[in-house]
Structure formats: C-alpha cells, structure tokens
Amino acid sequence: MQAVILAAGESSRFWPLNKKNKSLIKIMGKPLIWYTLKSLEGAKITDAIIVQSPEREIEEELKHYESINIKVKYVIQPEPKGMGDALMCAKELIKDYFLVLNSYHFEAGQILKKALERYSLKKKSIEMILFGTKTDRTWDYGIFGFNKINNFLYVTSITEKPEKGKELSNYKIVGVYILPLNFFEYLDKVPEGNYSFEDAIRLYMTENSNKTPEKPNLTIVDILEEETLSLKYPWDLFSINKFLTDKYLGNETHIGKNVKIYEGATIKGPCYIGDNCVVGNNALIREYSNLENNCVVGAFAEVTRSIFQDDVHVHSGYFGDSVLGKGCRVGAGTVTANVRIDRGEVFSIVKGEKVGTGTNSLGVVVGEGTKIGINCSLMPGRFIGSGCIIGPHTVVFENIEDNTTYFTEFKGVKK
C-alpha cells in the first residue's frame, strides 16, 4: 500500500510558528514529519508520496536526516486549496489502494496495521476505511454519523464543525484514510474548494450505497480506542513532545555532543539537550524540556516542559510550558507566567477568536528571531510573532504581530 502525506497547507492556526510547514518543527533533533515516516516504515510501507508547497521545504529539510527505508517521491501543490486539491496533485503516482494522512500522525503505522488485520479490502464488502476517535470538542472537527450493523460501523454522514447540540455523534475524523483508486473519479465530480475531499467522500458513500440494512454502503469507520495526537494549535506541541519523548527516551535524558554543563546545574529527566548547548551555573532544566542544537540556558534560569528550537539563548528567568522559535534571544530576569492566578483554563486568541486550550498550564509561544529584553513578564497563553523586539520591563498581555517593536512606558503602552 502506498502512503500519501499531505504537507503543503498554510497552517494559519499554528501562528506564530508557521514560518515553515508545521511538520518541520523539531523534537529531539528531527522534524515531526520524520517521525511520521518512521511510523509508516514500522507498518512496512515502502512507497510514500509527500505533497509539499512550491518552496520544497519538506524535501530540502529531510535531506539532512538519516534515511528511512521508504521510497519517497515529492509532488508540488501550487496553492493551498485544501486536501482534495493536494490529493489530485499525487494522482498520477498512485497505483491501487492508498493511505492518506497528515504529516504529523506518528501513530499511523500502528493504526494501519490494526486496520488491515481486522478488515478485508478488495472483496467488495469494504472499499473505504475512515478512522475516528472520541472528542469532547465536536465543534472543532469533522464529525461522523454512522450505523452499527454486524459489528461494523457504516458511515452515514460527515458534518464539518457542527453546532453544539446538533452533532450526530462525538466521534471526530482523525485524518487517516484508506481509499480505493477510483476515489479520484469522485474528486473529479465535486466542485473545487477547501472541502472538496469531504464532499468526494460523501458522494462516494451515496453512489456506492444500495440502501439495504445488511449493506448500507462500502465505507466504514474504524473507531480508535484512544484520542490521537493533533497539531492544529501551537500548544498541541506539548502532548506531541511528551508522546515522542516517552517513546524514544523513556525515563532517560539525552545530552548531545559538545554540551557544556556548568557547576551547580541540575537536569531532571526525561528531557532532550541537543548538540553544542550550554547550561549555566545553578540552572534547572526539568522534565519534558526539549532544547535543540546550539541553545544556551543561562545561570540561575529554570526551564520546564518547554520546547526551544535551534539557537535559542535565554538568561536567568523562568520558562514554563513555552515554545521559543529558532534564533530567539531573551534577556535576564524575564518570566513566562504559565498558570492563571485563579488556576483556571488558559485561553488564547487564534485568528481573532478566543480559544480554550484545554490546559491549565501554558506559557508563551514565540516565533523565530524575536528578541525580548530584561525583566519582561509574559502572560499565560500569549503569542509573540517572528522578528519582534520586546523592550525591557514590558508586560505582555496581548498577542503581538510579526515584526513589531513593543515596549511599556511609564505612561502606558507604546508600539
């Protein structure tokens, strides 16, 4: 079976970490899409097609990492026009049944193996397998409706982001699909648009249904026991980091080459410290912290459950449940507040809307190359864009757009 990995989207809800495709965020020295390929290798997938943007950033980045025993071909999606358009870009390379998935499904190999053990394809009893899992946020996802017949769940409908109280179930689309080759015939029939993929699935179900109780259609949903990892918002990186750390490090701590750890520093694993990093005197690095190559944690700093991309330098201060993009610089005495004073759920502003993060602990997310001065206070769940300058003694209560100079004066806030 071939795998088609979709990695060409804009990732607008992933700001301020979307300077590149979100699957290129590094955890433990490798981009996220590498772990997806590794998972597919474990399911004995030998042929993968990656749909990328015209910048070819996925292709260029994967050249720098150890090879995986999968033959990878790349195709270009000229514009981000949704999953259906992305899949059509790979049409000429697909030969038979194929797996479609997003670029951050690190458990896809295990999902695939279990499905193929349970279901029989090519016998006209099942032609399409969709995957779902329970969610308590039905309004954020595509939601299945289905009927249970003879221990199989036959899909009856798919609704995108239904209103609260109007959803047909609490099972969301996972973003992993097994599709037949003739699925492209249905993509050709539906109008182009962001939801052409979902429209083609609905049309396939309609035209391949004989509307009998014994065999309502040829599409089933395989319900996964656990909720799968998602990468829609920046804070999703923390659960992904924990998943990958537990899988690849267990309770161990990785310390890379040429790392300098000075007197009195404490490292409490599991965590990852990449090559050429510096950990200053009396610094504390706590569990599930991820420091990529060339990072500096200054004397007396504390870093906990945070993700630093390459070449991040911080001095004394506290950095909890935060993500700092490549090349950030943070002055001494700066603190990320990662818990609300009332200990309630942390909310963030995403594309102008207030969004619950589902967690009570979330610090700051900072884009690439931003510089933050001394003694700054960064409030929970705030995002700071790439290329910003945050002046000394500034309190950040709101999101700050890319390339902004922002500082607090005694008489108010000046941008």
Side-chain angles (χ1 to χ4, degrees):
M1 183 177 291
Q2 294 172 289
V4 180
I5 301 173
L6 307 179
E10 287 183 309
S11 307
S12 58
R13 287 173 294 189
F14 205 63
W15 181 83
L17 301 175
N18 60 347
K19 292 280 283 187
K20 292 184 177 181
N21 187 276
K22 59 188 176 183
S23 68
L24 294 181
I25 292 287
K26 290 182 182 178
I27 297 293
M28 295 188 296
K30 295 182 176 65
L32 295 178
I33 194 170
W34 183 92
Y35 294 101
T36 299
L37 289 167
K38 194 68 176 176
S39 174
L40 294 177
E41 180 187 53
K44 299 183 179 180
I45 291 286
T46 59
D47 188 4
I49 303 162
I50 297 179
V51 183
Q52 61 179 340
S53 69
E55 289 76 16
R56 297 180 179 269
E57 55 191 10
I58 305 291
E59 185 176 357
E60 290 300 317
E61 186 69 24
L62 286 176
K63 289 179 181 178
H64 302 297
Y65 300 93
E66 62 188 75
S67 60
I68 295 174
N69 293 322
I70 295 178
K71 183 180 180 181
V72 178
K73 296 180 181 179
Y74 296 92
V75 297
I76 301 297
Q77 185 183 21
E79 297 179 50
K81 295 182 178 179
M83 287 180 62
D85 181 75
L87 193 55
M88 289 296 286
C89 295
K91 177 180 177 180
E92 300 303 319
L93 297 177
I94 298 173
K95 302 172 184 177
D96 202 340
Y97 277 90
F98 60 100
L99 178 73
V100 178
L101 68 159
N102 292 317
S103 56
Y104 46 83
H105 277 296
F106 324 114
E107 66 282 74
Q110 185 177 3
I111 291 173
L112 178 62
K113 286 200 299 186
K114 288 182 177 179
L116 295 182
E117 288 172 1
R118 180 178 180 188
Y119 305 112
S120 176
L121 299 172
K122 297 185 179 181
K123 292 185 177 180
K124 296 300 180 183
S125 57
I126 297 170
E127 287 195 354
M128 181 187 294
I129 302 178
L130 314 181
F131 295 87
T133 187
K134 280 186 177 180
T135 180
D136 55 2
R137 300 177 62 88
T138 54
W139 56 90
D140 255 350
Y141 303 98
I143 300 298
F144 290 111
F146 51 80
N147 289 329
K148 185 174 183 179
I149 302 172
N150 298 327
N151 293 321
F152 288 92
L153 299 179
Y154 290 92
V155 180
T156 58
S157 65
I158 299 174
T159 305
E160 287 297 321
K161 299 179 181 179
E163 294 181 25
K164 289 184 181 181
K166 294 185 178 181
E167 60 272 10
L168 294 177
S169 75
N170 61 340
Y171 288 95
K172 69 175 182 179
I173 297 173
V174 164
V176 180
Y177 313 82
I178 297 176
L179 304 176
L181 184 59
N182 69 344
F183 180 73
F184 288 102
E185 298 174 13
Y186 298 87
L187 269 177
D188 282 329
K189 294 178 182 179
V190 300
E192 292 185 1
N194 287 333
Y195 294 111
S196 62
F197 181 82
E198 291 81 3
D199 290 341
I201 288 178
R202 295 186 187 95
L203 182 62
Y204 185 97
M205 291 189 299
T206 300
E207 294 194 1
N208 288 277
S209 173
N210 61 14
K211 304 184 184 301
T212 63
E214 296 79 15
K215 186 179 175 184
N217 57 55
L218 301 175
T219 303
I220 66 166
V221 56
D222 188 25
I223 299 299
L224 307 177
E225 295 179 1
E226 298 181 359
E227 186 164 352
T228 57
L229 296 167
S230 176
L231 191 57
K232 180 180 292 188
Y233 303 108
W235 56 82
D236 292 328
L237 284 170
F238 298 111
S239 57
I240 287 172
N241 177 53
K242 185 177 187 303
F243 173 86
L244 293 175
T245 300
D246 288 342
K247 181 174 181 178
Y248 288 94
L249 291 183
N251 292 321
E252 302 296 322
T253 288
H254 171 91
I255 297 178
K257 300 176 182 178
N258 303 316
V259 172
K260 296 179 180 179
I261 301 176
Y262 285 90
E263 295 86 354
T266 301
I267 300 173
K268 302 177 70 174
C271 58
Y272 177 92
I273 300 175
D275 297 343
N276 306 309
C277 289
V278 176
V279 181
N281 299 77
N282 302 301
L284 171 60
I285 299 178
R286 291 171 53 191
E287 63 279 356
Y288 295 107
S289 289
N290 183 95
L291 278 57
E292 294 298 322
N293 294 341
N294 304 304
C295 287
V296 175
V297 176
F300 297 96
E302 180 177 353
V303 179
T304 180
R305 298 182 302 276
S306 290
I307 300 168
F308 291 0
Q309 294 298 281
D310 291 324
D311 194 36
V312 169
H313 293 197
V314 301
H315 292 268
S316 62
Y318 176 74
F319 305 89
D321 301 290
S322 296
V323 184
L324 273 62
K326 181 179 179 181
C328 285
R329 299 290 187 269
V330 184
T334 290
V335 171
T336 65
N338 60 332
V339 178
R340 286 172 38 152
I341 197 168
D342 63 359
R343 299 305 190 261
E345 180 185 8
V346 178
F347 289 84
S348 286
I349 304 299
V350 179
K351 300 180 69 173
E353 296 185 3
K354 186 177 180 180
V355 178
T357 65
T359 179
N360 294 344
S361 297
L362 175 63
V364 68
V365 180
V366 184
E368 293 185 8
T370 283
K371 297 177 174 61
I372 300 175
I374 63 170
N375 297 318
C376 291
S377 299
L378 314 177
M379 294 298 103
R382 301 301 82 142
F383 297 166
I384 302 173
S386 297
C388 293
I389 296 176
I390 309 300
H393 294 276
T394 294
V395 181
V396 175
F397 281 107
E398 59 187 33
N399 288 356
I400 299 174
E401 296 300 319
D402 294 340
N403 305 309
T404 299
T405 297
Y406 183 102
F407 60 94
T408 301
E409 290 186 335
F410 290 110
K411 294 183 180 180
V413 176
K414 180 180 179 181
K415 294 185 182 178

mmCIF file of all heavy atoms in Angstrom, residues 274-305:
data_model
loop_
_atom_site.group_PDB
_atom_site.id
_atom_site.type_symbol
_atom_site.label_atom_id
_atom_site.label_comp_id
_atom_site.label_asym_id
_atom_site.label_seq_id
_atom_site.Cartn_x
_atom_site.Cartn_y
_atom_site.Cartn_z
ATOM 1 N N GLY A 274 20.263 19.073 22.869
ATOM 2 C CA GLY A 274 20.948 18.822 21.608
ATOM 3 C C GLY A 274 22.419 19.185 21.635
ATOM 4 O O GLY A 274 22.984 19.555 22.670
ATOM 5 N N ASP A 275 23.054 19.107 20.487
ATOM 6 C CA ASP A 275 24.487 19.355 20.357
ATOM 7 C C ASP A 275 24.821 20.826 20.620
ATOM 8 O O ASP A 275 24.036 21.726 20.322
ATOM 9 C CB ASP A 275 24.968 18.986 18.958
ATOM 10 C CG ASP A 275 24.800 17.506 18.638
ATOM 11 O OD1 ASP A 275 24.623 16.711 19.590
ATOM 12 O OD2 ASP A 275 24.842 17.150 17.447
ATOM 13 N N ASN A 276 26.018 21.028 21.175
ATOM 14 C CA ASN A 276 26.606 22.370 21.336
ATOM 15 C C ASN A 276 25.780 23.290 22.222
ATOM 16 O O ASN A 276 25.837 24.521 22.080
ATOM 17 C CB ASN A 276 26.808 23.040 19.962
ATOM 18 C CG ASN A 276 27.603 22.171 19.011
ATOM 19 O OD1 ASN A 276 28.675 21.676 19.350
ATOM 20 N ND2 ASN A 276 27.057 21.943 17.813
ATOM 21 N N CYS A 277 25.013 22.728 23.129
ATOM 22 C CA CYS A 277 24.237 23.549 24.057
ATOM 23 C C CYS A 277 25.086 23.941 25.270
ATOM 24 O O CYS A 277 26.098 23.308 25.578
ATOM 25 C CB CYS A 277 22.994 22.807 24.521
ATOM 26 S SG CYS A 277 21.733 22.613 23.240
ATOM 27 N N VAL A 278 24.656 24.981 25.974
ATOM 28 C CA VAL A 278 25.304 25.437 27.198
ATOM 29 C C VAL A 278 24.248 25.562 28.285
ATOM 30 O O VAL A 278 23.200 26.175 28.071
ATOM 31 C CB VAL A 278 25.998 26.797 26.989
ATOM 32 C CG1 VAL A 278 26.591 27.300 28.312
ATOM 33 C CG2 VAL A 278 27.076 26.698 25.930
ATOM 34 N N VAL A 279 24.532 24.968 29.450
ATOM 35 C CA VAL A 279 23.651 25.073 30.615
ATOM 36 C C VAL A 279 24.460 25.738 31.727
ATOM 37 O O VAL A 279 25.462 25.189 32.205
ATOM 38 C CB VAL A 279 23.144 23.694 31.077
ATOM 39 C CG1 VAL A 279 22.205 23.840 32.268
ATOM 40 C CG2 VAL A 279 22.436 22.979 29.930
ATOM 41 N N GLY A 280 24.053 26.936 32.120
ATOM 42 C CA GLY A 280 24.845 27.754 33.023
ATOM 43 C C GLY A 280 24.799 27.319 34.471
ATOM 44 O O GLY A 280 24.051 26.416 34.865
ATOM 45 N N ASN A 281 25.598 27.993 35.288
ATOM 46 C CA ASN A 281 25.692 27.700 36.719
ATOM 47 C C ASN A 281 24.325 27.758 37.389
ATOM 48 O O ASN A 281 23.559 28.704 37.192
ATOM 49 C CB ASN A 281 26.613 28.707 37.414
ATOM 50 C CG ASN A 281 28.033 28.674 36.877
ATOM 51 O OD1 ASN A 281 28.289 29.193 35.806
ATOM 52 N ND2 ASN A 281 28.932 28.046 37.613
ATOM 53 N N ASN A 282 24.040 26.716 38.173
ATOM 54 C CA ASN A 282 22.830 26.667 39.002
ATOM 55 C C ASN A 282 21.527 26.752 38.204
ATOM 56 O O ASN A 282 20.476 27.069 38.756
ATOM 57 C CB ASN A 282 22.857 27.773 40.069
ATOM 58 C CG ASN A 282 24.071 27.664 40.958
ATOM 59 O OD1 ASN A 282 24.292 26.650 41.613
ATOM 60 N ND2 ASN A 282 24.902 28.697 40.959
ATOM 61 N N ALA A 283 21.593 26.479 36.923
ATOM 62 C CA ALA A 283 20.361 26.415 36.128
ATOM 63 C C ALA A 283 19.621 25.114 36.433
ATOM 64 O O ALA A 283 20.223 24.115 36.853
ATOM 65 C CB ALA A 283 20.682 26.502 34.643
ATOM 66 N N LEU A 284 18.306 25.124 36.209
ATOM 67 C CA LEU A 284 17.477 23.940 36.414
ATOM 68 C C LEU A 284 16.697 23.659 35.139
ATOM 69 O O LEU A 284 15.938 24.510 34.663
ATOM 70 C CB LEU A 284 16.499 24.165 37.579
ATOM 71 C CG LEU A 284 15.422 23.096 37.794
ATOM 72 C CD1 LEU A 284 16.041 21.731 38.062
ATOM 73 C CD2 LEU A 284 14.496 23.501 38.935
ATOM 74 N N ILE A 285 16.896 22.477 34.581
ATOM 75 C CA ILE A 285 16.134 22.036 33.409
ATOM 76 C C ILE A 285 15.317 20.828 33.840
ATOM 77 O O ILE A 285 15.875 19.789 34.211
ATOM 78 C CB ILE A 285 17.057 21.688 32.234
ATOM 79 C CG1 ILE A 285 17.853 22.926 31.825
ATOM 80 C CG2 ILE A 285 16.243 21.171 31.050
ATOM 81 C CD1 ILE A 285 18.828 22.680 30.701
ATOM 82 N N ARG A 286 13.997 20.966 33.762
ATOM 83 C CA ARG A 286 13.109 19.940 34.304
ATOM 84 C C ARG A 286 12.498 19.087 33.202
ATOM 85 O O ARG A 286 12.688 19.317 32.013
ATOM 86 C CB ARG A 286 12.023 20.606 35.154
ATOM 87 C CG ARG A 286 12.569 21.208 36.446
ATOM 88 C CD ARG A 286 11.535 22.047 37.148
ATOM 89 N NE ARG A 286 10.289 21.303 37.358
ATOM 90 C CZ ARG A 286 9.165 21.886 37.763
ATOM 91 N NH1 ARG A 286 9.131 23.201 37.979
ATOM 92 N NH2 ARG A 286 8.086 21.169 37.932
ATOM 93 N N GLU A 287 11.728 18.094 33.629
ATOM 94 C CA GLU A 287 11.200 17.030 32.778
ATOM 95 C C GLU A 287 10.454 17.563 31.560
ATOM 96 O O GLU A 287 9.789 18.590 31.613
ATOM 97 C CB GLU A 287 10.275 16.107 33.580
ATOM 98 C CG GLU A 287 9.031 16.762 34.144
ATOM 99 C CD GLU A 287 9.268 17.521 35.427
ATOM 100 O OE1 GLU A 287 10.401 17.490 35.943
ATOM 101 O OE2 GLU A 287 8.314 18.150 35.926
ATOM 102 N N TYR A 288 10.616 16.825 30.463
ATOM 103 C CA TYR A 288 9.952 17.091 29.175
ATOM 104 C C TYR A 288 10.343 18.447 28.572
ATOM 105 O O TYR A 288 9.581 19.024 27.795
ATOM 106 C CB TYR A 288 8.431 16.958 29.292
ATOM 107 C CG TYR A 288 8.023 15.547 29.600
ATOM 108 C CD1 TYR A 288 7.553 15.197 30.857
ATOM 109 C CD2 TYR A 288 8.154 14.542 28.644
ATOM 110 C CE1 TYR A 288 7.197 13.889 31.152
ATOM 111 C CE2 TYR A 288 7.803 13.225 28.930
ATOM 112 C CZ TYR A 288 7.330 12.902 30.189
ATOM 113 O OH TYR A 288 6.996 11.605 30.474
ATOM 114 N N SER A 289 11.523 18.926 28.921
ATOM 115 C CA SER A 289 12.069 20.066 28.196
ATOM 116 C C SER A 289 12.836 19.551 26.984
ATOM 117 O O SER A 289 13.459 18.486 27.028
ATOM 118 C CB SER A 289 12.989 20.896 29.095
ATOM 119 O OG SER A 289 12.239 21.583 30.078
ATOM 120 N N ASN A 290 12.771 20.304 25.907
ATOM 121 C CA ASN A 290 13.424 19.918 24.648
ATOM 122 C C ASN A 290 14.241 21.107 24.145
ATOM 123 O O ASN A 290 13.685 22.129 23.745
ATOM 124 C CB ASN A 290 12.373 19.524 23.613
ATOM 125 C CG ASN A 290 12.990 19.036 22.311
ATOM 126 O OD1 ASN A 290 13.163 17.848 22.097
ATOM 127 N ND2 ASN A 290 13.333 19.957 21.411
ATOM 128 N N LEU A 291 15.565 20.972 24.180
ATOM 129 C CA LEU A 291 16.464 22.017 23.710
ATOM 130 C C LEU A 291 17.165 21.513 22.459
ATOM 131 O O LEU A 291 17.935 20.544 22.514
ATOM 132 C CB LEU A 291 17.508 22.365 24.772
ATOM 133 C CG LEU A 291 17.134 23.339 25.894
ATOM 134 C CD1 LEU A 291 15.924 22.866 26.689
ATOM 135 C CD2 LEU A 291 18.320 23.550 26.824
ATOM 136 N N GLU A 292 16.888 22.138 21.329
ATOM 137 C CA GLU A 292 17.546 21.738 20.092
ATOM 138 C C GLU A 292 18.991 22.257 20.069
ATOM 139 O O GLU A 292 19.469 22.844 21.041
ATOM 140 C CB GLU A 292 16.745 22.227 18.892
ATOM 141 C CG GLU A 292 15.377 21.560 18.757
ATOM 142 C CD GLU A 292 15.457 20.055 18.552
ATOM 143 O OE1 GLU A 292 16.362 19.600 17.832
ATOM 144 O OE2 GLU A 292 14.604 19.325 19.106
ATOM 145 N N ASN A 293 19.703 22.052 18.979
ATOM 146 C CA ASN A 293 21.132 22.369 18.906
ATOM 147 C C ASN A 293 21.413 23.856 19.154
ATOM 148 O O ASN A 293 20.619 24.721 18.806
ATOM 149 C CB ASN A 293 21.688 21.992 17.536
ATOM 150 C CG ASN A 293 21.655 20.495 17.287
ATOM 151 O OD1 ASN A 293 21.555 19.696 18.213
ATOM 152 N ND2 ASN A 293 21.750 20.105 16.033
ATOM 153 N N ASN A 294 22.578 24.096 19.781
ATOM 154 C CA ASN A 294 23.128 25.453 19.949
ATOM 155 C C ASN A 294 22.289 26.347 20.855
ATOM 156 O O ASN A 294 22.320 27.576 20.724
ATOM 157 C CB ASN A 294 23.307 26.126 18.578
ATOM 158 C CG ASN A 294 24.162 25.307 17.637
ATOM 159 O OD1 ASN A 294 25.302 24.959 17.954
ATOM 160 N ND2 ASN A 294 23.612 24.953 16.474
ATOM 161 N N CYS A 295 21.546 25.754 21.776
ATOM 162 C CA CYS A 295 20.782 26.553 22.734
ATOM 163 C C CYS A 295 21.634 26.901 23.950
ATOM 164 O O CYS A 295 22.550 26.162 24.329
ATOM 165 C CB CYS A 295 19.529 25.805 23.176
ATOM 166 S SG CYS A 295 18.242 25.726 21.919
ATOM 167 N N VAL A 296 21.330 28.027 24.579
ATOM 168 C CA VAL A 296 22.006 28.469 25.793
ATOM 169 C C VAL A 296 20.959 28.754 26.863
ATOM 170 O O VAL A 296 20.017 29.528 26.632
ATOM 171 C CB VAL A 296 22.840 29.741 25.547
ATOM 172 C CG1 VAL A 296 23.435 30.257 26.863
ATOM 173 C CG2 VAL A 296 23.942 29.477 24.533
ATOM 174 N N VAL A 297 21.128 28.117 28.024
ATOM 175 C CA VAL A 297 20.294 28.388 29.194
ATOM 176 C C VAL A 297 21.217 28.985 30.243
ATOM 177 O O VAL A 297 22.112 28.319 30.760
ATOM 178 C CB VAL A 297 19.618 27.110 29.719
ATOM 179 C CG1 VAL A 297 18.845 27.408 31.000
ATOM 180 C CG2 VAL A 297 18.695 26.530 28.652
ATOM 181 N N GLY A 298 21.022 30.253 30.540
ATOM 182 C CA GLY A 298 21.954 30.973 31.390
ATOM 183 C C GLY A 298 21.885 30.588 32.855
ATOM 184 O O GLY A 298 21.015 29.825 33.296
ATOM 185 N N ALA A 299 22.823 31.131 33.625
ATOM 186 C CA ALA A 299 22.910 30.850 35.055
ATOM 187 C C ALA A 299 21.608 31.208 35.764
ATOM 188 O O ALA A 299 20.979 32.227 35.468
ATOM 189 C CB ALA A 299 24.075 31.633 35.664
ATOM 190 N N PHE A 300 21.196 30.334 36.668
ATOM 191 C CA PHE A 300 20.032 30.521 37.529
ATOM 192 C C PHE A 300 18.697 30.500 36.771
ATOM 193 O O PHE A 300 17.668 30.828 37.349
ATOM 194 C CB PHE A 300 20.147 31.825 38.345
ATOM 195 C CG PHE A 300 21.304 31.836 39.295
ATOM 196 C CD1 PHE A 300 22.505 32.435 38.937
ATOM 197 C CD2 PHE A 300 21.204 31.230 40.536
ATOM 198 C CE1 PHE A 300 23.585 32.439 39.793
ATOM 199 C CE2 PHE A 300 22.280 31.225 41.410
ATOM 200 C CZ PHE A 300 23.483 31.828 41.038
ATOM 201 N N ALA A 301 18.698 30.126 35.509
ATOM 202 C CA ALA A 301 17.434 30.008 34.775
ATOM 203 C C ALA A 301 16.752 28.689 35.118
ATOM 204 O O ALA A 301 17.405 27.702 35.472
ATOM 205 C CB ALA A 301 17.688 30.090 33.276
ATOM 206 N N GLU A 302 15.426 28.678 34.993
ATOM 207 C CA GLU A 302 14.653 27.437 35.136
ATOM 208 C C GLU A 302 13.828 27.229 33.870
ATOM 209 O O GLU A 302 13.122 28.137 33.427
ATOM 210 C CB GLU A 302 13.721 27.482 36.346
ATOM 211 C CG GLU A 302 12.903 26.200 36.507
ATOM 212 C CD GLU A 302 12.013 26.191 37.735
ATOM 213 O OE1 GLU A 302 12.119 27.127 38.561
ATOM 214 O OE2 GLU A 302 11.193 25.252 37.866
ATOM 215 N N VAL A 303 13.939 26.036 33.298
ATOM 216 C CA VAL A 303 13.199 25.667 32.094
ATOM 217 C C VAL A 303 12.436 24.387 32.399
ATOM 218 O O VAL A 303 13.028 23.384 32.799
ATOM 219 C CB VAL A 303 14.142 25.438 30.894
ATOM 220 C CG1 VAL A 303 13.337 25.036 29.659
ATOM 221 C CG2 VAL A 303 14.974 26.681 30.610
ATOM 222 N N THR A 304 11.121 24.412 32.203
ATOM 223 C CA THR A 304 10.338 23.210 32.472
ATOM 224 C C THR A 304 9.287 22.987 31.394
ATOM 225 O O THR A 304 8.604 23.936 30.986
ATOM 226 C CB THR A 304 9.655 23.287 33.861
ATOM 227 O OG1 THR A 304 8.899 22.100 34.078
ATOM 228 C CG2 THR A 304 8.726 24.483 33.965
ATOM 229 N N ARG A 305 9.191 21.779 30.891
ATOM 230 C CA ARG A 305 8.198 21.361 29.890
ATOM 231 C C ARG A 305 8.146 22.332 28.710
ATOM 232 O O ARG A 305 7.074 22.595 28.166
ATOM 233 C CB ARG A 305 6.819 21.214 30.534
ATOM 234 C CG ARG A 305 6.740 20.161 31.624
ATOM 235 C CD ARG A 305 5.323 20.039 32.185
ATOM 236 N NE ARG A 305 4.851 21.302 32.716
ATOM 237 C CZ ARG A 305 5.119 21.757 33.940
ATOM 238 N NH1 ARG A 305 5.869 21.033 34.764
ATOM 239 N NH2 ARG A 305 4.648 22.911 34.340
#
